[in-house]
Amino acid sequence: MHLYDQQHIKIYNSLSGQKEPFKSITEGYVGMYVCGPTVYSNVHLGNVRTFMSFDMVFRYLKHLGYKVRYVRNITDAGHLENDADAGEDKITKKARLEQIEPMEVVQRYTVDFHNILSIFNFLPPSIEPTATGHIIEQIELISTIIKNGFAYEVNGSVYFDVHKFNETNDYGKLSKRKLDDLIHNTRELDGQSDKKNPQDFALWKKAEPQHIMRWPSPWSDGFPGWHLECTAMSTKYLGDRFDIHGGGMDLKFPHHECEIAQNEAAKGQSPVNYWMHANMLHLNGQRMSKSTGNTVNPDELLSGDNKFFSKAYSPSVIRFFNAQSSYRSVLDLTDDGLLASEKGFHRLMDAINLLDSISSTSTSTLNVSEWKQNCYDAMNDDFNSPILIAHLFDAAKYINQIKDGKASITSEDLKLLKQTMYAFTFDVLGLQNESKKESGTDKLSAAVDILIKLRQEARANKDFALSDKIRDELAEAGIQLKDGKEGTTFTTN
């Protein structure tokens, strides 16, 4: 018997607006798709929060014994500025500004994305498809939607006919928006004259002469619409209907709404059983914004090189801070909050480190089996990591009482306590025991590795002043960097 037969999860389904018992389409298997990054810049800390939440979901489902196919895409074409149907492709714009090939932009920021997620101890997805690798599937999908009467071609571009679709379907059911309200609140914009209605969205865009990224299609040399990419990739690898689709709250409309419409128009059925949305990350009580300067990158948070925080914070402390809030809640990133999380994280690790040194007795003063089930109950309730952490702190308090001779535990319960603490702390929450992992030279190596990665990214971004500064200041501290064919290594004086 698997754990998933004994533990019954409830998931808050954005489509129904309530928690629903989770039942996978195929027993023992889960198909999960999460919208990945558009790789035209360094990964945003808000995106990291979203992916961190779904990494925890992935980890818990695997812990329960499910065989999970986790698909998280890379958007490397077709995502226009301001999520619109007009304007310039974000990747093409970056390539034009830096006078490099679009795929150089894609490669640079895909590497950055993977580096950051590796630092935060993410599990890699089962499949990481790219939009440019699935142009054929997208063209076939458009052809099917046109054939079914829900799209039209104008001057080489193809648009989804939202009004025609809404005659027999419910466009807006995920975001709880009515088409009549959307019509009322829509103003005519330049570049939308080809559309029958402003609410229609692009499935294929004809490329202007200056547009670098383009592919041949039955309608024109052009590129796919952003919404279409996820529909094509999710159904290719997970089937026409799959278990979980996740992403940030900001993607609910129009991106996910359009995904549902495309699937229903092409396949005649809704694609997903459970829609999950992670909420936003704020900084000091306000939304993060590049235009106002109220933003911080993951690198800056890890290195302490920023104007918002008093010190650098480790990846596990940041993960712990994230897990202390529900994935569906707005999370406010503050220095006080991170300092408190750092103290709590070390208190938890100190208790776990005591587990190897405490002695068992003939009786237990804690019902460990009941406590263990409380941990499962928390995660079963829509992955309620804050409540799970509260139970882990209950155990930490108990461990310290045993050490001080104020509580007792049998050898069997001690084994169960240790197994459960390790499972939820390290396997499910994805934390790392830094006091063990990074003692002595290991701690120095981990710190220098982070600086080496920051230097590599600075060089990739042609910020040679920062790259040289990292190398020179490490040299002043007695740490010499050596660049070679196999990468950068270091020695200490």
Side-chain angles (χ1 to χ4, degrees):
M1 179 176 284
H2 295 92
L3 275 172
Y4 61 75
D5 291 321
Q6 306 163 35
Q7 307 298 334
H8 305 293
I9 302 173
K10 283 190 174 183
I11 294 178
Y12 182 86
N13 191 345
S14 298
L15 193 60
S16 66
Q18 59 187 15
K19 292 179 186 177
E20 299 176 1
F22 176 71
K23 182 175 175 56
S24 60
I25 294 170
T26 303
E27 185 179 347
Y29 293 82
V30 175
M32 181 170 77
Y33 185 89
V34 173
C35 293
T38 301
V39 282
Y40 71 101
S41 64
N42 296 107
V43 63
H44 189 279
L45 195 60
N47 289 340
V48 171
R49 191 241 171 151
T50 295
F51 301 134
M52 198 175 285
S53 297
F54 287 105
D55 181 63
M56 180 183 67
V57 172
F58 181 35
R59 286 170 173 275
Y60 186 59
L61 293 171
K62 285 170 64 72
H63 171 74
L64 292 183
Y66 284 108
K67 293 182 178 177
V68 186
R69 178 175 288 179
Y70 176 22
V71 182
R72 187 186 65 215
N73 74 298
I74 296 287
T75 293
D76 57 355
H79 193 167
L80 303 186
E81 295 176 82
N82 303 317
D83 304 339
D85 285 334
E88 194 169 10
D89 184 296
K90 292 180 177 181
I91 293 165
T92 302
K93 181 178 180 181
K94 188 77 169 184
R96 179 175 56 78
L97 291 172
E98 299 196 12
Q99 296 184 317
I100 59 176
E101 282 287 331
M103 281 303 160
E104 286 185 70
V105 174
V106 167
Q107 179 68 11
R108 175 186 302 171
Y109 295 115
T110 300
V111 169
D112 166 73
F113 175 65
H114 288 150
N115 283 343
I116 292 296
L117 266 55
S118 175
I119 288 170
F120 282 111
N121 196 33
F122 279 59
L123 296 178
S126 315
I127 303 173
E128 193 174 50
T130 64
T132 56
H134 296 78
I135 299 295
I136 292 173
E137 289 86 350
Q138 293 172 75
I139 290 173
E140 290 175 347
L141 190 59
I142 295 169
S143 298
T144 301
I145 295 173
I146 292 174
K147 181 182 176 183
N148 291 346
F150 295 111
Y152 56 92
E153 183 264 334
V154 180
N155 297 328
S157 293
V158 181
Y159 296 98
F160 189 93
D161 193 334
V162 170
H163 289 247
K164 180 67 181 298
F165 175 78
N166 202 56
E167 291 174 4
T168 53
N169 297 272
D170 183 11
Y171 181 79
K173 61 184 175 183
L174 178 66
S175 58
K176 310 299 185 285
R177 303 185 187 206
K178 296 295 182 184
L179 185 55
D180 288 344
D181 295 333
L182 294 173
I183 295 169
H184 179 73
N185 292 321
T186 300
R187 58 188 176 89
E188 289 291 341
L189 299 174
D190 291 339
Q192 291 193 332
S193 57
D194 285 347
K195 297 182 183 182
K196 290 182 180 178
N197 298 285
Q199 296 77 32
D200 296 348
F201 57 89
L203 299 176
W204 186 265
K205 287 288 291 181
K206 180 181 179 180
E208 298 299 325
Q210 70 274 16
H211 200 95
I212 306 170
M213 301 180 81
R214 58 174 66 215
W215 292 266
S217 80
W219 314 285
S220 66
D221 279 5
F223 53 95
W226 172 42
H227 311 309
L228 187 76
E229 298 169 0
C230 286
T231 296
M233 290 184 280
S234 61
T235 56
K236 177 179 175 68
Y237 296 109
L238 298 175
D240 291 347
R241 191 169 182 89
F242 54 94
D243 297 298
I244 298 171
H245 193 314
M249 191 76 75
D250 55 326
L251 297 181
K252 187 184 290 186
F253 185 89
H255 187 52
H256 291 160
E257 198 73 73
C258 294
E259 280 193 60
I260 292 175
Q262 289 165 164
N263 262 87
E264 293 184 348
K267 317 282 187 179
Q269 63 175 343
S270 192
V272 179
N273 281 353
Y274 304 89
W275 284 93
M276 296 179 65
H277 290 95
N279 217 321
M280 299 293 99
L281 181 68
H282 287 186
L283 178 59
N284 293 326
Q286 297 180 325
R287 293 193 68 169
M288 287 200 189
S289 170
K290 288 183 180 179
S291 61
T292 63
N294 191 57
T295 185
V296 61
N297 285 336
D299 287 344
E300 295 167 338
L301 188 58
L302 292 165
S303 67
D305 185 18
N306 62 80
K307 63 182 179 181
F308 300 103
F309 300 99
S310 60
K311 55 175 291 186
Y313 292 97
S314 73
S316 280
V317 166
I318 297 168
R319 273 197 82 115
F320 188 68
F321 173 77
N322 184 69
Q324 286 183 293
S325 177
S326 165
Y327 76 91
R328 289 196 290 120
S329 300
V330 172
L331 179 58
D332 190 19
L333 188 66
T334 65
D335 197 44
D336 287 345
L338 282 170
L339 286 169
S341 286
E342 186 174 57
K343 290 178 182 177
F345 171 75
H346 288 307
R347 190 162 77 249
L348 181 62
M349 291 302 126
D350 288 345
I352 287 174
N353 292 337
L354 283 173
L355 280 169
D356 290 329
S357 62
I358 61 178
S359 302
S360 59
T361 58
S362 58
T363 60
S364 292
T365 51
L366 173 72
N367 187 329
V368 178
S369 294
E370 183 179 317
W371 167 82
K372 174 184 174 181
Q373 187 56 49
N374 288 339
C375 292
Y376 279 105
D377 288 345
M379 288 301 291
N380 292 341
D381 183 18
D382 195 34
F383 311 99
N384 197 331
S385 54
I387 300 300
L388 168 63
I389 289 172
H391 292 314
L392 295 179
F393 276 132
D394 288 341
K397 182 179 179 181
Y398 178 55
I399 292 166
N400 281 294
Q401 287 174 341
I402 296 171
K403 182 200 73 169
D404 295 337
K406 297 176 182 178
S408 59
I409 191 168
T410 65
S411 58
E412 187 175 337
D413 277 351
L414 178 58
K415 181 180 178 182
L416 182 61
L417 179 64
K418 186 182 292 187
Q419 288 175 343
T420 307
M421 287 289 280
Y422 275 53
F424 281 102
T425 303
F426 304 125
D427 297 343
V428 175
L429 293 180
L431 304 176
Q432 294 178 295
N433 195 338
E434 294 166 350
S435 60
K436 285 188 176 181
K437 181 190 172 200
E438 297 179 358
S439 59
T441 56
D442 288 344
K443 191 170 185 179
L444 174 63
S445 296
V448 176
D449 283 344
I450 290 173
L451 290 169
I452 288 173
K453 286 179 180 176
L454 294 176
R455 179 170 173 260
Q456 289 170 342
E457 289 164 16
R459 294 169 76 180
N461 291 329
K462 299 183 179 179
D463 188 351
F464 299 115
L466 176 59
S467 169
D468 292 345
K469 183 180 180 183
I470 292 172
R471 180 199 62 205
D472 294 341
E473 292 195 6
L474 282 174
E476 287 179 16
I479 300 168
Q480 302 291 331
L481 297 185
K482 294 182 178 180
D483 296 320
K485 291 181 179 179
E486 302 301 320
T488 301
T489 59
F490 75 94
T491 57
T492 56
N493 295 338

